[in-house]
Amino acid sequence: MRTLLRTPILALSVMLAFTACSTAQQPASTATPFGTLSAVTTDLGDGLYTVSAGGYRTVFLVGDNGVLVGDPISTPIAKQFLSEIRKVTSKPLLYVVYSHNHWDHVLGGQVFKDEGAEIWSHEACLPHFYRNSHPDLVLPDRSYEQKQVLDVGNAKAELLYHGPNHSDCSTHLYFPAQKIVHIVDTVQPYAVSGAGGRMNDSYPKQFVASLQKLEDEVPFERMVPGHGGPIAPRDAVTNRREYQQGLLDAVKAEIDKGTPFGEIPGAVSLPQFKDLLGYDQYLAANAQRILIYYTIGW
Amino acid sequence: MVQLMKITASALLLTFLLSASPTDAQEQGQATLRVPLNFGSATTVHLGSGVYTFTRQGARNIFIVTDDGVIATDPISPETAEVYMAEIRKVTDKPVKYLVYSHQHWDHVRGGQIFKDAGASVVSHQACIQYFHRDPNPEVVNPDITFEGPRYDVTLGGKTLELHHFGRNHGDCLVVMRIPEINAIFLVDLVTPYGVSGGSGLINDFYPTDWIRSLKQIEAMDFDYMIGGHGPPKAPPWAITERREYLEALMAAVKAELDKGTPAAETGAAINLPKFQHLRNYKRLMPLNAERFRTFYILGW
């Protein structure tokens, strides 16, 4: 219960940091809008760990042969992550897996590459990386299409693609031994869509299908998000999918009723989700994004 | 002149489409904005040499009448397509042979069925197909003819409609249409003259750096005026330059605020672009334009 309580509070602080006040921000020393926090590592069992710093979170898996790590986030944070990994093992870094294409998660990969890691992403990330390069972005060495299993020696991670959701190249990183899936940004447990609420969930309708596919095909029991507290139950995924579907239905209902366009975002109400983090602040912005989808098909 | 003023009023209203509050509507003397939009009567203007521009409910397209038939463009919506077809029929009995899509967004390409039923071939850039498959809409007719690469000419009855593709900018498949007969371009959504970026102000499905690159390529084209997919029937080439310079100035200002560490909620208020304050909706939508660019700098998207 303590963990569950902490999760939303951290998540809220992240969302607020991105959208409203980020007074802790020190642009000279950090590449993220979240400010600097010291790294915290949590042991999830059987060689799986999650580590968070500066409001961002990743995972790493330690096997007999070496280490697989998720998003590097940024050069300074990747360095913090590396020193956390080194507290646990001196084994070589074998793989980095990018969660999706957004710069705020995938910069700083050179820190791990210098340790010998091979960098993976879903193949649909590649056009994004080619089109919008960034000096701190290391291009993936390898990509996959639907599924890729990476073995670090008696410990495995599955890179799974379930279609567009928060981006069109999101990897659900599944650890079968632990029955834990790492989902970045598509699901922020028990929260509405944050970070301004209007921009980031780029594929409003496929979003639902993608999470449904994850739930149907993967027997995960818990999830690790890309921001906030370390772990949440499987229900957090179902909850987010149902919220998204609720939004789609509610906005469509207002359009069909003939509610004036400008009034639709404010008219939408989803009382069954009123306890979600950020509901009061972001519901209208979330609804506006859905309204744009119904208007232009994007 | 009266007609021109009316058209401009429609364009102004269009910019309130996605984000208008009742106050905005009242300021414009409109009691309500409904979906589908019901402002502005349909208007067709002859631009010369058989080239016409048609507008209804804030969206605009063109059509070209030739000896062998008609080249039509964006159907907009099923309701507007019917009025559009009727306007074409007022001018000519010749069949509509082609219906050309400017890009994939539903607010421009719904309603093509009546043209298809009348025998028209639907044309788009190949890159639109992925969107039509990903998000099928029963009101959007799939193209019959697609092209890849930077250029395709639709020719009919001795007249030509040049389709120029500049890669990704507003989506991936937008074409700028040049009409050599009147030396003009039909330019949808990349520039709505004399304003900041409208709609919701959030610059949806725009890729900022590609957008600016494309505008530079468009500025280098040979044309005397532009016909916007929203806005007045004619605008001078400098309307494109003005939009590009606004985007460049705003992006630079957003980057500077980000580097300074200005929080998201204060970024819009911190930015002041005196050179562009005259632009329509500057005060209301510039901060939202800025929000989109801030996201771009953080996410690379």
Side-chain angles (χ1 to χ4, degrees), chain B residues 216-234:
Chain B
K216 286 179 182 168
Q217 290 173 288
I218 294 163
E219 288 173 80
M221 291 173 75
D222 176 21
F223 63 97
D224 296 330
Y225 62 92
M226 66 163 278
I227 305 150
H230 305 283
K234 288 184 176 187

Side-chain angles (χ1 to χ4, degrees), chain A residues 121-193:
Chain A
S121 80
H122 185 263
E123 62 172 14
C125 290
L126 300 178
H128 296 291
F129 295 148
Y130 290 135
R131 285 160 152 175
N132 287 325
S133 61
H134 186 287
D136 291 339
L137 174 69
V138 182
L139 290 177
D141 301 299
R142 305 285 299 275
S143 63
Y144 75 101
E145 198 176 339
Q146 287 301 326
K147 176 176 180 176
Q148 176 69 40
V149 179
L150 296 178
D151 192 333
V152 289
N154 290 318
K156 285 186 180 127
E158 296 177 3
L159 287 57
L160 304 174
Y161 183 67
H162 296 120
N165 40 51
H166 169 77
S167 79
D168 65 354
C169 70
S170 302
T171 289
H172 293 146
L173 189 58
Y174 180 56
F175 302 95
Q178 294 82 359
K179 292 196 186 309
I180 287 174
V181 64
H182 180 42
I183 307 171
V184 176
D185 287 356
T186 302
V187 177
Q188 191 57 43
Y190 303 109
V192 305
S193 186

Side-chain angles (χ1 to χ4, degrees), chain A residues 49-216:
Chain A
Y49 298 82
T50 175
V51 53
S52 113
Y56 285 88
R57 175 172 293 286
T58 195
V59 292
F60 63 94
L61 178 69
V62 182
D64 293 344
N65 303 332
V67 182
L68 173 147
V69 61
D71 287 333
I73 313 296
S74 69
T75 302
I77 288 182
K79 285 177 182 165
Q80 284 180 283
F81 286 169
L82 181 60
S83 70
E84 289 293 300
I85 292 169
R86 286 292 167 245
K87 287 179 191 169
V88 173
T89 178
S90 57
K91 291 197 164 82
L93 290 193
L94 299 178
Y95 303 109
V96 173
V97 182
Y98 289 164
S99 64
H100 63 306
N101 59 301
H102 293 157
W103 287 346
D104 64 328
H105 288 270
V106 298
L107 302 184
Q110 192 63 43
V111 173
F112 299 138
K113 185 137 180 155
D114 288 345
E115 299 286 311
E118 182 178 75
I119 299 179
W120 283 77
S121 80
H122 185 263
E123 62 172 14
C125 290
L126 300 178
H128 296 291
F129 295 148
Y130 290 135
R131 285 160 152 175
N132 287 325
S133 61
H134 186 287
D136 291 339
L137 174 69
V138 182
L139 290 177
D141 301 299
R142 305 285 299 275
S143 63
Y144 75 101
E145 198 176 339
Q146 287 301 326
K147 176 176 180 176
Q148 176 69 40
V149 179
L150 296 178
D151 192 333
V152 289
N154 290 318
K156 285 186 180 127
E158 296 177 3
L159 287 57
L160 304 174
Y161 183 67
H162 296 120
N165 40 51
H166 169 77
S167 79
D168 65 354
C169 70
S170 302
T171 289
H172 293 146
L173 189 58
Y174 180 56
F175 302 95
Q178 294 82 359
K179 292 196 186 309
I180 287 174
V181 64
H182 180 42
I183 307 171
V184 176
D185 287 356
T186 302
V187 177
Q188 191 57 43
Y190 303 109
V192 305
S193 186
R198 282 186 283 236
M199 318 293 306
N200 299 315
D201 303 322
S202 312
Y203 305 88
K205 210 162 187 175
Q206 286 82 0
F207 192 104
V208 174
S210 176
L211 291 182
Q212 186 69 65
K213 202 155 184 251
L214 169 68
E215 293 171 74
D216 288 348

